[in-house]
């Protein structure tokens, strides 16, 4: 009745931005990510008949009530699925620098889904685990798998055809991701709230949905052809389009800060000098840079000179979930 799982974070190259069903976490568009080797969550779940309620320890400390409630709501799905009304003790260790702007919810819910399913005795395929993890946080569906991963939006109302799957093994194409932490000022609009507001109010959202279809076709061609220039151009343009939708929302909002723009401009300046680097940005001010191994060092050296850059983390493409 006990299981421990390690799951890694991922970064979307084609963004998940918008839900067609909020309760089931069904997205409006397919997204595509790479799983990262550096940042992960390790979670142990133990179902115990003696417990009167769920318990949740995060990084060695008893978690706040609000966090416990989210975990309990997720475990309710697992219990219902297994038809075993038993409470659990959940212990989670996060090796994700939250300030780096990586969604720890992706690795967190991927690890929780796999550990809780195994601990309660459910035998789920990785595809089914991605559907379960999705219901904690959409991007978690992609963290079940390693390498290059696509999350299919599906069209069924019950989400039965909405799942993630690996499209290329991590060792098949060695790209590097630099996570550039910048100095921050503003409080962030959570991705969940941001995407909801955008879907409901932004006139640019329809344009996003149209464009993302083309971006997906182009990036899959780039991946098949191992065409880095093509991949980088699509990645950067897709992120810019996602962020453009937020400017049209009501009330409008923006994830970038001046430091974000400085890093974006430095990446563009590097390209003008012949160094191929491309950026992508999630629902926060930090910037992730996609590059080839041979250019990783020169990109690092150039970004280091910017006063707004606090830290640069180097990532490779990582594996899917592992049972410890
Ligand atoms: C901008 O997966 O955090 O990082 O499903 O509401 O939990 P919820 O959202 P979440 O959103 C991630 C949005 C993004 C793009 C992406 O990872 O694809």
């Amino acid at each position: 009745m006990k299981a421990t799982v390690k799951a890694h974070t991922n970064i979307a190259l084609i963004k998940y931005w918008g839900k067609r069903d909020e309760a089931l976490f069904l997205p409006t568009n397919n997204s595509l990510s790479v799983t990262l080797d550096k940042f992960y969550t390790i979670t142990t779940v133990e179902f115990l008949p003696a417990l009167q309620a769920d318990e949740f320890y995060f990084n060695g400390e008893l978690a706040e009530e609000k966090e416990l409630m989210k975990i309990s709501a997720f475990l309710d799905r697992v219990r219902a699925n297994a038809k075993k009304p038993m409470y659990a003790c959940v212990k989670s260790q996060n090796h994700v620098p939250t300030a780096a702007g990586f969604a720890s919810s992706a690795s967190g819910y991927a690890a929780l889904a796999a550990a809780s399913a195994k601990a309660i005795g459910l035998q789920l395929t990785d595809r089914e685990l991605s559907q379960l993890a999705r219901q904690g946080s959409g991007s978690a569906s992609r963290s079940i798998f390693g390498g290059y991963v696509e999350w299919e939006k599906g069209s069924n109302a019950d989400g039965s055809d909405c799942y993630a799957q690996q499209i290329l093994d991590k060792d098949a194409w060695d790209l590097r991701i630099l996570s550039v932490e910048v100095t921050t000022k503003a409080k962030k609009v959570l991705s969940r709230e941001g995407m909801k507001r955008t879907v409901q109010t932004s006139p640019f959202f329809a344009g996003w949905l149209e464009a993302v279809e083309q971006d997906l076709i182009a990036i899959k061609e780039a991946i098949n052809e191992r065409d880095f220039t093509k991949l980088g151009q699509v990645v950067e343009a897709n992120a810019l389009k996602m962020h453009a939708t937020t400017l049209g929302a009501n009330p409008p909002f923006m994830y970038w800060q001046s430091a974000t723009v400085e890093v974006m401009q430095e990446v563009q300046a590097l390209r003008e000098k012949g160094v191929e680097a491309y950026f992508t940005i999630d629902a926060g001010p930090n910037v992730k840079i996609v590059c080839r191994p041979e250019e990783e060092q020169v990109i690092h050296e150039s970004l280091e000179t910017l006063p707004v850059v606090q830290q640069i983390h180097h990532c490779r493409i990582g594996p899917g979930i592992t049972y410890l």
Side-chain angles (χ1 to χ4, degrees):
M1 289 315 240
K2 182 173 172 179
T4 300
V5 171
K6 178 178 183 184
H8 293 254
T9 55
N10 69 77
I11 175 82
L13 303 179
I14 300 293
K15 304 297 182 192
Y16 148 49
W17 196 241
K19 291 186 184 71
R20 62 183 168 91
D21 184 315
E22 284 183 21
L24 291 175
F25 291 76
L26 302 178
T28 50
N29 61 275
N30 287 25
S31 54
L32 196 149
S33 61
V34 285
T35 304
L36 302 174
D37 68 339
K38 190 86 170 277
F39 307 133
Y40 56 90
T41 303
I42 295 179
T43 297
T44 300
V45 178
E46 186 170 17
F47 285 93
L48 295 161
L51 286 180
Q52 302 295 310
D54 292 318
E55 290 174 0
F56 179 38
Y57 294 85
F58 185 70
N59 289 344
E61 285 176 28
L62 206 55
E64 285 174 24
E65 185 66 20
K66 207 174 112 207
E67 294 307 312
L68 172 65
M69 277 165 67
K70 286 194 221 160
I71 299 296
S72 268
F74 185 85
L75 291 174
D76 284 344
R77 296 181 198 270
V78 179
R79 286 186 274 260
N81 198 334
K83 299 189 179 62
K84 287 184 190 160
M86 219 188 304
Y87 292 112
C89 176
V90 177
K91 290 183 180 153
S92 218
Q93 281 288 340
N94 228 12
H95 301 262
V96 184
T98 32
F102 277 116
S104 57
S105 63
S107 55
Y109 279 104
L112 181 64
S116 58
K118 175 130 194 266
I120 210 164
L122 282 173
Q123 302 216 327
L124 302 183
T125 61
D126 281 354
R127 178 173 291 190
E128 288 165 335
L129 281 177
S130 81
Q131 294 182 306
L132 178 60
R134 185 196 80 215
Q135 296 175 70
S137 184
S139 52
S141 66
R142 301 184 307 237
S143 271
I144 296 294
F145 300 93
Y148 298 72
V149 182
E150 183 171 14
W151 175 18
E152 300 280 345
K153 67 179 191 303
S155 57
N156 297 344
D158 64 357
S160 52
D161 58 350
C162 175
Y163 51 79
Q165 58 188 344
Q166 186 185 69
I167 57 167
L168 190 70
D169 186 79
K170 70 179 175 57
D171 299 322
W173 194 13
D174 181 15
L175 294 182
R176 304 291 164 90
I177 312 289
L178 303 189
S179 165
V180 185
E181 258 179 62
V182 297
T183 44
T184 59
K185 291 180 215 100
K187 221 176 121 192
K188 81 181 224 182
V189 179
L190 293 175
S191 51
R192 192 161 302 178
E193 181 197 330
M195 69 173 85
K196 183 175 176 182
R197 195 190 301 170
T198 304
V199 173
Q200 289 175 345
T201 64
S202 179
F204 305 151
F205 190 68
W208 157 254
L209 288 183
E210 228 172 88
V212 78
E213 294 290 329
Q214 299 307 313
D215 288 349
L216 274 156
I217 294 170
I219 201 165
K220 283 196 232 170
E221 282 170 8
I223 291 171
N224 283 336
E225 296 157 8
R226 310 285 195 274
D227 182 339
F228 179 66
T229 305
K230 187 166 170 177
L231 176 125
Q233 286 170 350
V234 178
V235 167
E236 198 170 294
N238 183 265
L240 290 170
K241 279 177 273 198
M242 177 204 121
H243 286 270
T245 65
T246 72
L247 302 181
N250 183 18
F253 62 104
M254 176 182 208
Y255 288 112
W256 306 348
Q257 297 186 12
S258 52
T260 313
V261 178
E262 276 187 54
V263 175
M264 289 156 76
Q265 285 172 334
E266 184 63 24
V267 170
Q268 285 166 345
L270 274 165
R271 283 209 299 274
E272 277 159 28
K273 287 186 233 157
V275 180
E276 275 206 274
Y278 298 89
F279 62 75
T280 183
I281 305 162
D282 279 339
N286 297 302
V287 182
K288 317 293 181 315
I289 295 170
V290 187
C291 67
R292 286 181 288 218
E294 56 269 31
E295 276 157 332
E296 196 177 353
Q297 199 47 38
V298 51
I299 295 167
H300 181 113
E301 282 160 17
S302 127
L303 285 163
E304 225 178 18
T305 64
L306 297 183
V308 294
V309 171
Q310 289 197 321
Q311 232 186 322
I312 306 172
H313 304 274
H314 289 244
C315 300
R316 295 180 184 219
I317 301 187
I321 49 165
T322 44
Y323 294 88
L324 303 179

